[in-house]
Amino acid sequence: MVIGDGVLTPAISVFSAVSGLELSMSKEQHRYVEVPVACVILIFLFALQHYGTHRVGFLFAPVVITWLFCISSIGVYNIFRWNRQVYQALSPYYMYKFLKKTQKGGWMSLGGILLCMTGSEAMFADLGHFSQLSIKIAFTFVVYPSLILAYMGQAAYLSEHHVIQSDYRIGFYESVPEKIRWPVLAIAILAAVVGSQAIITGTFSISNNIIHTSSKIHGQIYIPEINWTLMLLCLAVTIGFRDTKSMGNASGLAVITVMLVTTCLMSLVIVLCWHKSIFLAICFILFFGSIEALYFSASLIKFREGAWVPIALSFIFLVVMYVWHYGTFKKYEFDVQNKVSINWLLSLGPTLGIVRVRGIGLIHTELVSGIPAIFSHFVTNLPAFHQVVVFLCIKSVPVPHVGPEERFLVGRVGPKEYRLYRCIARYGYRDVHKDDIEFERDLVCSIAEFIRSERPECDVSLEKLEDDEKMTVVGTSSSNLDGIRMSVDDADFSEMASTSELQEIRPTEKPKKRVRFVVPESPQIDREAVEELQELMEAREAGMAFILGHSYVKAKRGSNLMKKLVINVGYDFLRRNFRGPTYALSIPHASTLEVGMVYHV
């Protein structure tokens, strides 16, 4: 529903803003101008996303403040000019009186009233980029008073002009004084762009495969596929409806559904996260849920008048997500069931039964324990493999940030002489992935620090996974100031520590690309660890090869027709058009080896 709202909010915001063009032309002329102008603005808005949301984001504060000041000032003007008694409308008594008098008609009108919420909600849709305190202050002292004054002013104007039933121009722009209508139109269009930008960014934020367009400001993101899909759908809705009423019904249902679901989930948060009583959660959901259910029912009754759009979009997105989740789960299940046993690895010996050449082989896998089946595929089909092999698993954990000191979990696969390591890099859902050079440096340093500190009596944090694998928590090189550092070429270490405090481990021969580890003098490391560190340096100097498994998932024989359609058609189409994980985008193509393997699930 949030993604559906990302389609509807830009369309209705821009379309409503350009409706002010009707003030200077006839109804027939306006019909042929309004839609093209709205489409041009939408195309411009989505084309701007390529440069990062901060291109529009920097306009957020001045445009929103100017717009709120504008509508509140116009509201105050209309109150004093047309009806000073309109302040009485703040009393809930008139809401009760209105519903009692209109009954079914008043209940059905609640769906249209939702537009009052969607506008203010869209401006702050991307709530994750602001603190709770700033949102509370902004809504309490700026947004809410401005909206109240604006709607009271429109009510005051309509109380004196509602008799002109034949004039289709009755609306917001008609209540604006004639001398400032064109400046207000310009501000309204800018506000529509900013409000649309907020919901577009919110849509990006709940999707995977995000591209961060700013290295300084978190939240400046861009997703090409989502962006152009939203643009096409926005244009289709704008051209198809050509009516703010139908678009309003659609947007209202999307927003109130999100609110209703959020309220239900919030009751779970009260019990499970805040550890409050179930009675408090029930009271919360009954109070807020009953109000939202009333609006939801009023919106649902407009199903045939435009409200079907978010339901149709949600159904399509649901099917796509289910197919992707089902196929991915079956693929992971195949990996778990077919992972190689440690006994098979031990039977191969330290050389793995093949020639070990210089370099580091980095194998990407989704398994956090065990040896992936694709590794046996490599060993049985390739005549040689790297002297150091690292099974790398990049995991997103359900926390906002993972501290640099807890970034890596490093362990050993098999005996020391096998030179097989496992590394799990953990990222929070708001962490930004580093570039490939810095990540490689941190990865190699974390393995080196694991080698240095690997002894039973050392005081390190351990986490035990399946197959009795012990993983050591190792931070990045920047977070572990007392740990091993790595210098490439002629890096100057004078700023890190004096030479009396550090000792260098260098390779015996001078290679083309010079790599060295700088480790603390105390505690001393044994000879085996020194040899292992030296071999790791030599492998790093020879270069790193990124080995990616390219899996082809097929339904196994005997599967039913539905499963074959989901796996062989649906999931295969999504996989072929999937952009891949963000870390894969920065992998140098010259150092990448991709090996295919068929998964029968």
Side-chain angles (χ1 to χ4, degrees):
M1 280 294 179
V2 173
I3 298 175
D5 194 28
V7 173
L8 295 164
T9 296
I12 190 173
S13 299
V14 173
F15 195 83
S16 299
V18 301
S19 64
L21 295 171
E22 67 187 42
L23 300 173
S24 59
M25 59 187 68
S26 65
K27 183 177 180 179
E28 194 65 29
Q29 291 175 327
H30 174 252
R31 182 179 300 173
Y32 293 104
V33 173
E34 186 178 38
V35 174
V37 171
C39 291
V40 169
I41 295 175
L42 287 172
I43 293 174
F44 172 77
L45 171 63
F46 283 99
L48 196 63
Q49 303 301 315
H50 173 71
Y51 300 98
T53 54
H54 60 291
R55 301 294 183 184
V56 177
F58 80 96
L59 291 173
F60 191 99
V63 168
V64 170
I65 291 176
T66 303
W67 172 246
L68 292 176
F69 175 78
C70 176
I71 61 175
S72 59
S73 301
I74 294 172
V76 171
Y77 167 80
N78 286 325
I79 290 172
F80 280 93
R81 180 174 181 182
W82 302 112
N83 188 349
R84 299 186 181 185
Q85 305 300 317
V86 75
Y87 72 89
Q88 298 179 21
L90 293 174
S91 172
Y93 168 74
Y94 290 99
M95 176 182 66
Y96 165 76
K97 188 176 180 180
F98 169 77
L99 292 175
K100 182 179 179 181
K101 181 179 180 180
T102 56
Q103 295 182 358
K104 184 179 178 180
W107 167 66
M108 294 181 65
S109 68
L110 293 178
I113 296 174
L114 277 170
L115 287 178
C116 303
M117 306 178 195
T118 57
S120 58
E121 179 266 346
M123 291 190 295
F124 285 85
D126 200 8
L127 299 182
H129 298 167
F130 301 94
S131 65
Q132 293 184 11
L133 181 61
S134 64
I135 295 171
K136 291 177 181 178
I137 294 174
F139 265 92
T140 305
F141 297 103
V142 182
V143 178
Y144 183 72
S146 299
L147 293 177
I148 289 295
L149 290 174
Y151 290 130
M152 286 173 60
Q154 291 183 47
Y157 178 84
L158 290 175
S159 67
E160 297 295 329
H161 298 83
H162 69 281
V163 295
I164 315 177
Q165 298 178 359
S166 60
D167 192 345
Y168 85 102
R169 290 180 175 178
I170 289 294
F172 167 73
Y173 286 107
E174 192 66 23
S175 66
V176 177
E178 188 173 353
K179 293 182 180 180
I180 61 171
R181 283 178 181 172
W182 283 105
V184 171
L185 174 64
I187 298 174
I189 292 175
L190 288 176
V193 170
V194 167
S196 302
Q197 178 62 54
I199 194 65
I200 291 171
T201 306
T203 305
F204 287 167
S205 298
I206 65 172
S207 305
N208 287 326
N209 299 323
I210 292 173
I211 296 176
H212 293 267
T213 58
S214 174
S215 59
K216 298 180 180 179
I217 306 175
H218 179 79
Q220 311 305 341
I221 55 181
Y222 171 65
I223 307 177
E225 295 84 352
I226 299 294
N227 183 65
W228 302 122
T229 301
L230 287 180
M231 187 193 75
L232 293 176
L233 291 175
C234 280
L235 294 176
V237 168
T238 302
I239 297 172
F241 280 141
R242 303 189 177 200
D243 179 24
T244 55
K245 182 179 179 181
S246 298
M247 285 189 283
N249 293 334
S251 180
L253 180 61
V255 169
I256 196 61
T257 304
V258 172
M259 291 181 177
L260 188 59
V261 172
T262 303
T263 299
C264 296
L265 295 177
M266 191 64 192
S267 63
L268 298 178
V269 172
I270 293 174
V271 177
L272 301 178
C273 298
W274 295 352
H275 304 292
K276 303 295 183 180
S277 65
I278 298 179
F279 177 75
L280 179 62
I282 293 175
C283 292
F284 174 84
I285 196 171
L286 286 178
F287 179 76
F288 289 100
S290 58
I291 298 174
E292 292 166 353
L294 182 64
Y295 280 98
F296 177 78
S297 62
S299 297
L300 201 60
I301 204 70
K302 303 289 182 66
F303 180 84
R304 304 176 72 179
E305 300 175 26
W308 59 269
V309 172
I311 296 178
L313 291 175
S314 299
F315 178 75
I316 295 172
F317 296 145
L318 177 64
V319 171
V320 171
M321 291 176 179
Y322 174 77
V323 170
W324 178 256
H325 173 75
Y326 180 77
T328 304
F329 174 76
K330 287 296 182 182
K331 176 179 174 294
Y332 181 78
E333 194 178 54
F334 180 91
D335 277 329
V336 172
Q337 294 175 353
N338 293 273
K339 60 184 179 181
V340 180
S341 66
I342 192 68
N343 293 330
W344 174 84
L345 185 69
L346 295 174
S347 66
L348 298 177
T351 63
L352 301 180
I354 53 179
V355 178
R356 303 292 290 269
V357 297
R358 291 186 62 192
I360 298 177
L362 202 63
I363 301 177
H364 288 282
T365 175
E366 295 182 4
L367 295 178
V368 296
S369 64
I371 303 170
I374 203 164
F375 179 68
S376 64
H377 194 62
F378 291 147
V379 172
T380 55
N381 289 278
L382 297 177
F385 215 77
H386 301 87
Q387 65 185 114
V388 175
V389 178
V390 180
F391 297 103
L392 175 63
C393 178
I394 298 181
K395 284 292 182 183
S396 296
V397 293
V399 295
H401 299 284
V402 174
E405 67 280 358
E406 299 179 348
R407 176 74 66 208
F408 296 103
L409 281 174
V410 183
R412 190 185 298 279
V413 180
K416 285 186 177 182
E417 59 269 19
Y418 281 55
R419 302 297 188 253
L420 301 179
Y421 306 95
R422 182 183 311 284
C423 183
I424 302 175
R426 301 181 291 188
Y427 288 90
Y429 55 81
R430 293 188 64 185
D431 282 330
V432 179
H433 291 263
K434 297 180 179 180
D435 60 80
D436 55 332
I437 297 177
E438 189 175 0
F439 178 78
E440 290 175 20
R441 182 188 296 268
D442 286 341
L443 178 65
V444 175
C445 284
S446 67
I447 297 175
E449 180 64 21
F450 165 77
I451 296 171
R452 182 184 74 88
S453 60
E454 188 187 23
R455 52 171 61 94
E457 67 274 12
C458 65
D459 185 18
V460 295
S461 300
L462 295 177
E463 291 192 16
K464 199 169 183 180
L465 300 177
E466 299 175 11
D467 301 330
D468 294 329
E469 289 186 16
K470 293 182 179 180
M471 306 291 288
T472 303
V473 179
V474 182
T476 60
S477 56
S478 60
S479 66
N480 192 4
L481 300 178
D482 296 329
I484 288 182
R485 301 294 186 88
M486 185 177 73
S487 173
V488 180
D489 297 326
D490 296 323
D492 185 10
F493 276 80
S494 59
E495 297 181 359
M496 287 188 287
S498 63
T499 55
S500 60
E501 296 175 342
L502 301 175
Q503 63 178 5
E504 298 182 2
I505 299 178
R506 301 172 182 267
T508 54
E509 298 179 2
K510 186 175 181 180
K512 295 181 180 179
K513 182 172 67 174
R514 184 185 177 197
V515 176
R516 63 179 179 177
F517 287 136
V518 183
V519 300
E521 284 186 356
S522 179
Q524 295 291 336
I525 57 179
D526 55 32
R527 183 176 181 80
E528 289 185 3
V530 172
E531 293 177 355
E532 194 171 357
L533 285 172
Q534 183 172 319
E535 188 171 348
L536 180 63
M537 278 189 302
E538 293 175 352
R540 179 65 185 92
E541 287 169 353
M544 297 181 70
F546 299 87
I547 302 168
L548 302 176
H550 191 81
S551 56
Y552 298 88
V553 182
K554 299 293 182 183
K556 59 185 178 182
R557 293 182 179 180
S559 301
N560 57 53
L561 180 61
M562 180 59 69
K563 184 176 181 179
K564 289 181 179 179
L565 288 175
V566 170
I567 296 296
N568 296 348
V569 179
Y571 183 73
D572 183 66
F573 173 81
L574 294 175
R575 183 194 56 77
R576 284 188 284 106
N577 292 276
F578 180 54
R579 187 156 44 88
T582 52
Y583 62 80
L585 297 175
S586 59
I587 294 177
H589 296 287
S591 304
T592 303
L593 175 64
E594 192 172 46
V595 178
M597 185 175 178
V598 179
Y599 286 37
H600 292 283
V601 299

